[in-house]
């Protein structure tokens, strides 16, 4: 049996959990549930990072002991994760005794490898990031990357010979499996290491909230050496033979992009030094902005994780967070989009399908599942093929860490099922007294829904369980992906209709001002706008804007189109499995080679159009200048292809 070990970062406990904490942990939960469904033995670890200067200062500000602060705040995270119904196997805390043992063992090994020496550190430190910064990473008293304040530190310190691992790290980044993902992040971190690594200060003497440096109680161990080791503590630490316990190496360290350096440089270097196998993959996800802006308390757009749980059903929250953005891209958390996805995808596509089909079952067949017959009717065959294809796509997408694609495929199966019912018209067969065909159609529809429920279980577990139970199946055993076979829904089972799976949501935003009753004669120059005027002036509703999906696309290749002097044929990465082909009227303004590797704005949900016999699958956005030339909107390489523009 394969095993799968997934981790989240352990969260700082200086404050309360917010949307970012909920996101990573939900994503990890989706992976954990998915691999469990495949029959893998899964270990899912999360927890809290409780030591360090930042936590000590937060406790001082509140006038309580650090221990008191971490106990209170760590409990909030556990509470949140219980409310989110997450399925972690352990919640690790760095103040736990077995964690200290694992950390002491790591440091002992790094020392034994000759990688630790005593010197003096003089440089910048950010307590907020718990990170050291070099002079060129600082501007106006702040770390350029994070914007956090830095302070000058000068004290005796133990150092880790990070510089020794420059070459081995580069080899690791270049290894076949590409252990740091997405690729853009791998490139970013490889460039950083190629720029040269300084040795790393790994102890402090000016505060004491942390693990004592082994054999030198004057020093406190740097909080990141302490924190990163949680990934070994969590699965049981080192065994008698000195090996990390079962499940090591981790299959997937899920982290946010801001803590890539710690996980893709420091952590593998510590492990190499300690003679421990490296994790298989470090995957950096993007950040959520809220209503298009960086989340901050002062802006008033802070999203407290407990409020999220109160506001949205869990299934919807999970669905939205996964479906809205490719893992690795930044996303914009906007209520309108959540509502849109709920109403049109979950409620209409899945919820109504289940409701309609189960009701038809009761009306036409008394709710009893007929036996499975694999007909060769075209609609039946293509539905079965679509289900089989979806299963493969879901597994592949999850292996490729593209959960949004997995959901896309599942929702496509939902569309196919809806169309299947529409085109086969079981009500017509019923009316004509063709009970055999009614049974065939309804069996196919039910079986398709069962497949959909199993496939979607990791993403929307509540709804999936309700469907399986309504089909007379066990919600756990019945959700095994490795046992998914067409015809698996037993004849004779009784089908009931589950409670509403997804309630439609009305937008909770201020309603447009009531339309004034039309006055018979309108004074000239009266500018007050009513809906008709709005339409006349070309204004659109926000919901209309949301229909246009714009994303950043990376142009992979560009060539001229024979016989069309204005057109270029492009191939672009828009964050999907395969690049899209685009025919764009850019040839008079750009040399094809100048566009390669550029990241530009595109509309990605236009119906494909054929131009000069080539199917164009997206549209590049451009502006005409006064002389009829063209300009494009370019994005830096920091943006992962596929990131939505909103
Ligand atoms: N304690 C360290 C991690 C140690 S792991 C050995 C830490 N903690 S944190 O609480 O500050 O951040 C935890 C995670 O939350 C990070 O992965 C970070 O990227 C993520 N997020 C914080 N804000 C976020 C968003 N707005 N959106 C998405 N994730 C964000 O760093």
């Amino acid at each position: 049996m394969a095993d799968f070990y997934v981790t989240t970062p352990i969260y700082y406990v200086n404050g309360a959990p917010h949307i970012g904490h909920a996101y990573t942990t939900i994503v990890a939960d989706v992976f954990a549930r998915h691999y469990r469904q495949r029959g893998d033995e899964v270990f899912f670890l999360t927890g809290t990072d409780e030591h360090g200067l930042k936590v000590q200062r937060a406790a001082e500000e509140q006038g309580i002991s650090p221990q008191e602060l971490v106990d209170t705040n760590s409990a909030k995270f556990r509470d949140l994760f219980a409310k989110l119904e997450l399925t972690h196997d352990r919640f690790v805390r760095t103040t736990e005794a077995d964690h200290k043992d694992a950390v002491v063992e790591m440091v002992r090994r790094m020392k034994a490898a000759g990688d630790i020496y005593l010197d003096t550190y003089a440089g910048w430190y950010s307590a907020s990031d718990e990170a050291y910064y070099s002079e060129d990473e600082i501007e106006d008293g702040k770390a350029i990357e994070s914007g956090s304040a830095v302070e000058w530190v000068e004290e005796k310190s133990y150092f880790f010979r990070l510089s020794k691992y420059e070459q081995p790290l580069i080899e690791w980044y270049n290894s076949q499996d590409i252990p740091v993902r997405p690729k853009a992040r791998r490139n970013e971190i490889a460039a950083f290491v190629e720029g040269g690594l300084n040795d790393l200060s790994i102890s402090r003497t000016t505060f004491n909230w942390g693990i004592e440096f082994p054999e030198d109680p004057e020093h406190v161990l740097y909080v990141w050496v302490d924190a990163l080791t949680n990934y070994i503590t969590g699965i049981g630490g080192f065994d008698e033979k000195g090996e990390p316990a079962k499940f090591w190496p981790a299959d997937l360290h899920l982290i946010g992009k801001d803590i890539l350096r710690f996980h893709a440089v420091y952590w593998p270097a510590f492990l190499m030094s300690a003679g421990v196998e490296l994790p298989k993959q470090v995957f950096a996800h993007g950040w959520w902005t809220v209503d298009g802006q960086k989340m901050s308390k002062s802006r008033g757009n802070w999203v407290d994780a407990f409020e999220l749980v109160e506001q949205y059903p869990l299934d919807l929250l999970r669905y939205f967070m996964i479906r809205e953005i490719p893992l690795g891209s930044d996303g914009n958390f906007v209520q309108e989009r959540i509502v849109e996805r709920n109403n049109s995808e979950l409620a209409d596509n899945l919820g109504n399908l289940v409701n309609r089909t189960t009701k038809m079952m009761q009306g036409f067949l008394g709710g009893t599942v007929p036996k499975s017959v694999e007909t060769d009717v075209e609609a039946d065959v293509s539905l079965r093929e679509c289900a089989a294809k979806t299963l493969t796509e879901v597994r592949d997408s999850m292996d490729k860490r593209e959960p949004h694609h997995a959901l896309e495929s599942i929702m496509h199966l939902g569309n196919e099922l809806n169309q299947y019912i529409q085109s086969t018209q079981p009500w017509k067969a019923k009316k004509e007294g063709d009970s055999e065909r009614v049974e065939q159609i309804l069996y196919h529809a039910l079986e398709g829904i069962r497949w959909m429920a199993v496939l979607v279980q990791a993403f929307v577990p509540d709804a999936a369980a309700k469907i399986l139970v309504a089909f007379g199946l066990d919600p756990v055993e019945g959700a095994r992906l490795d046992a998914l076979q067409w015809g698996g829904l037993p004849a004779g089972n009784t089908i009931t209709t589950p409670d509403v799976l997804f309630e439609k949501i009305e937008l909770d935003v201020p309603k447009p001002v009531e339309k004034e009753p039309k006055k018979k004669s309108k004074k000239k120059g009266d500018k007050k706008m009513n809906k008709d005027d709005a339409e006349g002036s070309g204004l659109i509703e926000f919901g209309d804007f949301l229909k246009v999906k714009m994303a950043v696309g990376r142009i992979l290749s560009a060539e001229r189109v024979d016989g069309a002097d204005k057109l270029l044929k492009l191939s672009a990465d828009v964050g999907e499995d395969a690049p899209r082909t685009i025919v764009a009227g850019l040839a008079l303004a750009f040399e094809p080679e100048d566009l390669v590797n550029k990241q530009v704005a595109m509309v990605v949900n236009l119906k494909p159009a054929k131009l000069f016999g080539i199917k164009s699958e997206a549209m590049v956005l451009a502006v005409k200048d006064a002389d009829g030339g063209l300009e494009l909107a370019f994005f830096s390489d920091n943006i992962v292809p596929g990131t939505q523009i909103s």
Side-chain angles (χ1 to χ4, degrees):
M1 193 199 287
D3 61 36
F4 181 78
Y5 176 29
V6 57
T7 67
T8 72
I10 47 170
Y11 304 108
Y12 286 131
V13 284
N14 55 309
H18 58 64
I19 183 174
H21 304 125
Y23 176 58
T24 327
T25 327
I26 286 175
V27 174
D29 186 70
V30 168
F31 278 105
R33 287 181 192 252
H34 172 80
Y35 284 100
R36 283 192 202 108
Q37 282 188 281
R38 281 163 68 162
D40 289 0
E41 203 178 338
V42 170
F43 200 91
F44 166 18
L45 179 71
T46 189
T48 41
D49 187 354
E50 305 188 3
H51 289 135
L53 186 55
K54 167 152 120 167
V55 170
Q56 178 163 325
R57 284 192 182 155
E60 279 160 10
E61 273 163 30
Q62 293 178 33
I64 54 176
S65 71
Q67 190 63 52
E68 222 176 306
L69 178 83
V70 301
D71 286 347
T72 312
N73 283 354
S74 173
K76 287 188 189 151
F77 281 87
R78 260 166 298 148
D79 199 23
L80 173 72
F81 296 163
K83 287 207 160 76
L84 285 169
E85 296 176 14
L86 302 179
T87 59
H88 40 291
D89 295 285
R90 178 169 172 187
F91 184 101
V92 66
R93 298 184 56 186
T94 53
T95 47
E96 284 167 327
D98 66 338
H99 176 64
K100 185 173 165 204
D101 295 344
V103 171
V104 169
E105 176 59 12
M106 270 301 281
V107 177
R108 189 194 65 72
R109 286 164 175 240
M110 288 152 71
K111 223 172 175 180
D115 287 341
I116 291 179
Y117 62 91
L118 187 63
D119 204 338
T120 302
Y121 177 77
W124 298 105
Y125 191 78
S126 155
S128 165
D129 303 343
E130 296 285 14
Y132 298 93
Y133 288 107
S134 60
E135 203 65 54
D136 57 355
E137 292 174 311
I138 304 294
E139 203 175 75
D140 299 333
K142 288 186 175 149
I144 296 170
E145 205 180 307
S146 64
S148 307
V150 291
E151 56 200 280
W152 185 257
V153 168
E154 216 169 314
E155 61 194 9
K156 255 188 358 187
S157 171
Y158 284 97
F159 279 79
F160 170 69
R161 284 187 209 284
L162 186 61
S163 53
K164 176 174 153 189
Y165 292 95
E166 232 170 79
Q167 214 37 50
L169 281 169
I170 290 167
E171 277 162 31
W172 186 57
Y173 304 142
N174 290 337
S175 59
Q176 200 153 30
D177 291 338
I178 314 181
V180 179
R181 302 282 182 111
K183 275 192 210 151
R185 298 276 169 228
R186 190 271 309 255
N187 298 345
E188 178 189 310
I189 211 72
F192 169 75
V193 174
E194 276 158 10
L197 290 176
N198 295 324
D199 287 350
L200 179 72
S201 160
I202 55 161
S203 75
R204 301 286 309 264
T205 50
T206 43
F207 69 93
N208 60 12
W209 182 241
I211 294 181
E212 209 174 87
F213 200 88
E215 293 161 31
D216 193 344
E218 212 193 307
H219 292 248
V220 166
L221 187 65
Y222 176 37
V223 67
W224 274 97
V225 182
D226 166 347
L228 287 160
T229 306
N230 91 85
Y231 299 132
I232 291 179
T233 314
I235 45 166
F238 292 95
D239 65 16
E240 323 74 65
K241 284 189 258 132
E243 297 295 328
K246 185 176 150 73
F247 289 109
W248 192 258
D251 292 86
L252 178 58
H253 283 320
L254 264 177
I255 58 163
K257 61 182 182 181
D258 55 318
I259 51 175
L260 185 65
R261 190 184 295 183
F262 304 97
H263 284 81
V265 181
Y266 300 172
W267 181 226
F270 297 161
L271 290 169
M272 284 184 208
S273 169
V276 177
E277 219 180 317
L278 301 190
K280 292 195 191 138
Q281 196 175 88
V282 173
F283 196 110
H285 65 68
W287 268 42
W288 287 99
T289 50
V290 177
D291 297 329
Q293 294 207 300
K294 194 173 173 199
M295 185 173 62
S296 86
K297 286 199 168 133
S298 55
R299 272 199 195 100
N301 66 346
W302 186 262
V303 183
D304 176 280
F306 287 99
E307 278 169 25
L308 270 184
V309 178
E310 292 297 313
Q311 205 175 351
Y312 300 106
L314 292 183
D315 276 356
L316 172 56
L317 201 55
R318 296 167 71 97
Y319 181 84
F320 174 76
M321 285 181 156
I322 304 285
R323 182 71 189 86
E324 183 71 1
I325 49 168
L327 194 61
S329 303
D330 290 336
N332 189 8
F333 197 85
V334 216
Q335 201 185 25
E336 284 82 352
R337 289 193 98 88
I338 306 179
V339 170
E340 165 77 15
R341 292 218 180 264
N342 178 72
N343 292 356
S344 69
E345 297 176 25
L346 290 175
D348 281 349
N349 190 353
L350 179 54
N352 277 351
L353 172 72
V354 174
N355 191 42
R356 212 169 143 206
T357 314
T358 52
K359 291 225 164 96
M360 253 189 295
M361 263 301 290
Q362 288 139 24
F364 296 175
L365 299 176
T368 308
V369 178
K371 69 177 190 325
S372 166
V373 183
E374 295 208 4
T375 64
D376 50 14
V377 177
E378 202 187 317
D380 300 4
V381 175
S382 77
L383 180 67
R384 296 198 298 268
E385 282 172 0
C386 176
K389 189 165 156 256
T390 311
L391 172 60
T392 313
E393 283 174 358
V394 169
R395 294 175 63 114
D396 289 353
S397 300
M398 295 304 275
D399 290 344
K400 285 199 275 179
R401 315 299 178 226
E402 293 172 353
H404 71 295
H405 270 152
L407 272 184
E408 200 172 294
S409 303
I410 298 167
M411 285 296 141
H412 175 72
L413 175 59
N415 286 334
E416 292 292 307
L417 276 160
N418 278 303
Q419 271 172 28
Y420 174 81
I421 294 174
Q422 225 36 54
S423 68
T424 53
Q425 303 187 318
W427 47 89
K428 213 167 143 206
K430 174 77 183 166
K431 213 163 156 195
E432 288 163 359
D434 187 352
S435 55
E436 201 182 331
R437 187 61 192 142
V438 173
E439 289 185 1
Q440 290 167 358
I441 296 171
L442 287 183
Y443 190 89
H444 274 77
L446 286 175
E447 185 58 344
I449 293 174
R450 181 181 74 93
W451 274 55
M452 202 173 160
V454 174
L455 290 166
V456 88
Q457 196 257 6
F459 304 88
V460 291
D462 288 350
K466 280 188 196 156
I467 299 172
L468 294 173
V469 169
F471 281 25
L473 301 165
D474 181 274
V476 179
E477 269 314 294
R480 289 287 291 256
L481 267 177
D482 51 347
L484 202 51
Q485 293 265 346
W486 190 270
L489 178 63
N493 268 24
T494 302
I495 303 289
T496 54
T497 299
D499 293 344
V500 180
L501 295 176
F502 307 100
E503 298 272 4
K504 286 226 172 168
I505 305 178
E506 295 243 352
L507 251 189
D508 179 22
V509 288
K511 295 228 162 48
V513 184
E514 281 286 295
K515 206 164 127 179
E516 276 185 38
K518 261 197 186 156
K519 289 191 189 118
K520 282 222 171 107
S521 68
K522 221 170 166 195
K523 269 187 254 153
K524 247 190 172 177
D526 185 342
K527 287 273 170 61
K528 202 169 212 175
M529 199 185 285
N530 63 28
K531 191 160 171 266
D532 299 338
D533 292 336
E535 276 163 11
S537 67
L539 296 180
I540 58 168
E541 299 290 329
F542 188 57
D544 294 328
F545 166 71
L546 290 178
K547 286 184 195 149
V548 182
K549 213 167 140 189
M550 286 180 283
V552 176
R554 188 178 189 85
I555 299 176
L556 304 173
S557 67
E559 58 189 90
R560 294 187 186 279
V561 176
D562 274 349
D565 51 356
K566 284 192 184 152
L567 298 183
L568 288 182
K569 179 181 165 197
L570 312 174
S571 156
D573 176 0
V574 293
E576 299 170 342
D577 268 359
R580 294 217 196 171
T581 302
I582 302 161
V583 182
L586 302 174
L588 297 181
F590 297 94
E591 289 304 321
E593 55 277 15
D594 292 342
L595 291 176
V596 174
N597 282 331
K598 292 281 179 338
Q599 305 223 97
V600 298
M602 310 186 164
V603 177
V604 291
N605 66 343
L606 272 184
K607 284 207 178 114
K610 255 199 177 159
L611 291 163
F612 279 75
I614 309 165
K615 191 165 148 204
S616 181
E617 300 166 313
M619 186 177 92
V620 175
L621 295 178
V623 209
K624 268 207 179 105
D625 64 25
D627 309 323
L630 289 176
E631 285 197 23
L632 298 177
F634 291 113
F635 295 89
S636 77
D637 287 346
N638 285 338
I639 309 290
V640 179
T643 301
Q644 279 189 24
I645 303 172
S646 52

